Amino acid sequence: MFGSWMKEFKTFAMRGNVIDLAVGVIIGGAFGQIVTSLVNDIVMPPIGRLLGGVDFSDLIIVLGKGTNGETVTTLTDAKKYGAPVIAYGQFINIVLNFLIVAICVFFMIKVINRLTRKNKAEEAPAKPTTKECPYCLSVIPLAAVRCGHCTSDLSGETAAVHAEPGRH
């Protein structure tokens, strides 16, 4: 009983889509760390500098004093003393983080779509080389001016028949 369950689990776990999902989650986690560093270490410092040296992570609205009456001015102090605050600076950081991730994913998908379109263009079906005779419906070469089966003259055939094989 246990052996059949393990065999079934192994079959499930080794499916391509499960492995792909696991790789996606791992890569996504690593990518998230890169984006967090990009926001916190590269994007936010210049923005804070432009706004007069503001560190967004410390932007808070103090709702009260700490548990022992301590006055807090930073998010670190609020966490240390247990003071209730609205940490809107953290929210700004997370929103910027999301926007950067969204932009990166957008451009990644755009590149992937461009590559996919090129592959589809390479795989375009070949142009037809045959057509049906409008009289006997036999398949004949596209350039034929006389049907090899019924000997009908196709030189006066309408353009629609030439353009659309199988149409009468």
Side-chain angles (χ1 to χ4, degrees):
M1 180 174 158
F2 183 72
S4 66
W5 180 83
M6 283 301 289
K7 184 177 178 183
E8 187 177 343
F9 178 75
K10 181 180 176 186
T11 303
F12 166 76
M14 291 300 132
R15 284 187 187 160
N17 54 358
V18 173
I19 303 297
D20 291 345
L21 179 61
V23 169
V25 168
I26 292 167
I27 296 294
F31 185 69
Q33 290 177 343
I34 291 170
V35 171
T36 299
S37 176
L38 178 67
V39 170
N40 294 337
D41 303 329
I42 296 174
V43 174
M44 295 311 285
I47 292 174
R49 175 99 179 181
L50 287 172
L51 296 175
V54 175
D55 179 9
F56 281 95
S57 62
D58 276 336
L59 294 178
I60 59 173
I61 297 173
V62 180
L63 301 176
K65 295 188 180 266
T67 53
N68 293 326
E70 300 91 357
T71 303
V72 296
T73 57
T74 66
L75 184 58
T76 305
D77 289 344
K79 288 180 180 179
K80 180 178 176 182
Y81 299 122
V85 297
I86 296 175
Y88 68 93
Q90 292 286 71
F91 180 73
I92 291 171
N93 278 343
I94 290 171
V95 168
L96 286 173
N97 192 336
F98 169 77
L99 291 174
I100 291 170
V101 168
I103 289 168
C104 290
V105 169
F106 170 76
F107 284 114
M108 261 183 11
I109 290 173
K110 192 172 174 117
V111 168
I112 289 168
N113 284 343
R114 185 172 293 148
L115 293 173
T116 304
R117 267 188 258 128
K118 285 182 182 178
N119 290 342
K120 285 184 181 177
E122 293 170 1
E123 297 173 7
K127 291 184 180 180
T129 59
T130 60
K131 64 181 178 181
E132 285 185 356
C133 171
Y135 304 104
C136 70
L137 302 178
S138 298
V139 177
I140 57 174
L142 191 61
V145 292
R146 184 172 295 278
C147 177
H149 301 279
C150 70
T151 68
S152 296
D153 182 16
L154 304 175
S155 59
E157 190 179 341
T158 63
V161 174
H162 280 290
E164 298 179 37
R167 284 270 205 206
H168 312 293

